[in-house]
């Protein structure tokens, strides 16, 4: 499918499409965090139907196998099936993304992600109660979702130069938070009545955006006769490219990768556990807890834009990240201790914490990755951006897997200990970025 637009319209159209694509990726990841508080509830507060078989009055309303005392550990196992597969797959995703047309790569990834997201929800209708089924489906979904990030960053990097990259990508990277918000709201509509639809509807949405990608995505300006942005010179040969890439990894990729590891640990713990925390501590029902948790992502949108704008003006990507991480640590402590005192306090603290936690995460995964991937020493080698993005996000995804896993293991000892873990990770993220 082809059409003709002016170069500025092509850039805007590419930015819009890639925003839509990655919004759908995050939209399809979010339902599990909303559904957790439905899979395991406080059954003593509900009226038990008289015709229900069984004698366990404490777990009659729960969905097996999450009706057991170790349900938090089981939730952590399901989360990590996705996140460990995602972390491993991300290191290989950039390699495939360099060799396969991005349009085909993204389309295939979104269609398969839609399939596995729907399969998780179909467990409700098929009456599946095996932890292995849900863990396997999540692991496969984690693998296919690695197609998204390196590909969309490579597309945007192909179309935009370095000048206002921090601000542009700060605005563009709000797709993460927008996807989380939409995923929460969509899942919340069905969670209390038929939680399977909380997965099936997002699965259909991401599969549909995959079809849009196949027909409308333009990967590079050269594909439609436009001039590429001026951020590089002639392309180097393979040997010089590898030498330059190793040099870039030693110069900046390593510290930002480690910073992202700890930043993602915090962000993804909130992504997967915040609704359950709100439900347990503030005693909201699953839908209300899911709706309230979206405020964290609203703050994340503002934080990503501010981080990009400030880093463009100051030229200091690392210092911008470090300042936000330093301020985030005491804010997380305050949220845990006073965040549930009143509705206004809860709203305010979620917005502030979301901005401070997701701002550095957004800056590293977008502007920093693109800066390093189009560094002048790489001379515009088209493989570089996808590879550097995959290295940084792959390392960060190790933290994304560790966070929810540790939360599942620590939360039975008390939520205070979970927040101490998050604060420690925030401080470490700041230290490795200095």
């Amino acid at each position: 499918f082809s059409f003709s637009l002016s170069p500025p319209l092509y850039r805007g159209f590419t930015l819009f499409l890639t925003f839509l694509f990655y919004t759908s990726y995050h939209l399809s990841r979010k339902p599990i965090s909303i559904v957790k508080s439905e899979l395991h509830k406080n059954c003593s507060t509900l009226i038990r139907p008289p015709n229900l078989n069984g004698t366990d009055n404490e777990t009659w309303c729960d969905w097996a196998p999450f009706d057991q005392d170790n349900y938090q550990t089981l939730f952590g196992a399901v989360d990590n099936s996705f996140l460990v597969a995602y972390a491993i797959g991300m290191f290989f995703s950039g390699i495939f993304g360099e060799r396969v047309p991005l349009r085909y790569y993204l389309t295939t990834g979104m269609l398969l992600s839609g399939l596995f997201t729907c399969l998780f929800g179909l467990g409700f209708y098929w009456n599946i109660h095996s932890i292995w089924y849900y863990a396997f489906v999540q692991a496969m979904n984690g693998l296919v979702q690695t197609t998204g990030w390196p590909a969309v960053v490579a597309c945007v990097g192909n179309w935009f130069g370095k000048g206002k990259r921090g601000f542009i990508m700060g605005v563009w990277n709000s797709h993460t938070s927008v996807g989380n918000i939409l995923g929460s709201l969509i899942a919340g509509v069905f969670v209390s009545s038929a939680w399977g639809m909380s997965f099936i509807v997002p699965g259909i949405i991401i599969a549909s955006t995959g079809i849009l990608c196949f027909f409308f995505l333009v990967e590079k300006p050269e594909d439609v006769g436009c001039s590429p942005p001026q951020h590089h010179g002639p392309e180097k040969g393979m040997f010089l490219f590898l030498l330059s890439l190793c040099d870039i990894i030693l110069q900046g990729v390593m510290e930002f990768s480690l910073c992202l590891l700890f930043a993602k640990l915090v962000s993804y713990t909130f992504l997967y556990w915040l609704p359950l925390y709100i439900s347990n501590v503030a005693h909201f029902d699953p839908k209300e807890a899911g709706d309230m948790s979206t405020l964290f992502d609203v703050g994340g949108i503002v934080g990503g834009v501010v981080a990009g704008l400030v880093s463009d003006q100051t030229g200091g990507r690392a210092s911008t990240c470090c300042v936000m991480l330093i301020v985030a640590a005491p804010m997380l402590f305050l949220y845990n201790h006073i965040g549930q005192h009143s509705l206004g306090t809860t709203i305010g603290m979620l917005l502030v914490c979301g901005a401070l936690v997701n701002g550095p995460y957004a800056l590293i995964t977008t502007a920093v990755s693109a800066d390093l991937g189009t560094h002048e020493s790489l001379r515009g080698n088209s493989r570089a951006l996808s590879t550097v993005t995959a290295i940084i996000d792959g390392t960060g995804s190790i933290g994304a897997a560790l966070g929810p896993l540790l939360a599942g293991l620590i939360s039975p000892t008390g939520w205070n200990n979970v927040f101490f873990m998050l604060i420690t990770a925030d401080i470490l993220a700041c230290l490795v970025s200095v």
Side-chain angles (χ1 to χ4, degrees), residues 291-310:
D291 291 346
M292 184 64 70
S293 71
T294 62
L295 293 171
F296 183 84
D297 292 296
V298 173
I301 295 174
V302 177
V305 173
V306 170
L309 188 59
V310 170

Side-chain angles (χ1 to χ4, degrees), residues 241-263:
F241 161 68
L242 291 173
L243 288 178
S244 299
L245 182 59
C246 289
D247 185 49
I248 291 299
I249 290 173
L250 293 174
Q251 286 182 27
V253 171
M254 192 61 67
E255 53 259 45
F256 280 114
S257 296
L258 291 173
C259 179
L260 185 62
L261 185 152
F262 293 111

Side-chain angles (χ1 to χ4, degrees), residues 187-207:
V189 171
F190 306 103
V191 63
S192 297
S193 56
W195 62 259
M197 292 301 294
S198 297
F199 292 89
I200 292 172
V201 173
I204 293 172
I205 291 173
I206 189 172

Side-chain angles (χ1 to χ4, degrees), residues 142-313:
L143 280 176
V144 299
Q145 285 234 345
T146 61
T147 58
W149 190 241
V152 294
V153 171
C155 280
V156 173
N158 287 339
W159 280 94
F160 288 88
K162 190 173 178 179
K164 297 295 182 182
R165 182 176 280 162
F167 175 68
I168 291 171
M169 287 195 156
V171 175
W172 175 75
N173 194 64
S174 63
H175 50 47
T176 298
S177 296
V178 172
N180 291 341
I181 292 169
L182 291 176
S184 298
L185 295 176
I186 292 170
V189 171
F190 306 103
V191 63
S192 297
S193 56
W195 62 259
M197 292 301 294
S198 297
F199 292 89
I200 292 172
V201 173
I204 293 172
I205 291 173
I206 189 172
S208 300
T209 56
I211 296 172
L212 284 178
C213 176
F214 180 79
F215 286 108
F216 294 106
L217 180 66
V218 179
E219 298 175 23
K220 297 178 292 186
E222 298 92 323
D223 293 342
V224 287
C226 298
S227 299
Q230 298 300 311
H231 52 52
H232 49 66
E235 189 166 301
K236 289 185 175 182
M238 175 58 73
F239 179 70
L240 290 178
F241 161 68
L242 291 173
L243 288 178
S244 299
L245 182 59
C246 289
D247 185 49
I248 291 299
I249 290 173
L250 293 174
Q251 286 182 27
V253 171
M254 192 61 67
E255 53 259 45
F256 280 114
S257 296
L258 291 173
C259 179
L260 185 62
L261 185 152
F262 293 111
K264 258 194 160 181
L265 186 153
V266 179
S267 182
Y268 269 67
T269 302
F270 274 96
L271 174 67
Y272 282 92
W273 287 88
L274 180 58
L276 185 63
Y277 169 78
I278 294 173
S279 179
N280 287 353
V281 176
H283 308 295
F284 287 9
D285 67 35
K287 184 181 186 305
E288 291 172 339
D291 291 346
M292 184 64 70
S293 71
T294 62
L295 293 171
F296 183 84
D297 292 296
V298 173
I301 295 174
V302 177
V305 173
V306 170
L309 188 59
V310 170
S311 69
D312 276 343
Q313 296 299 318

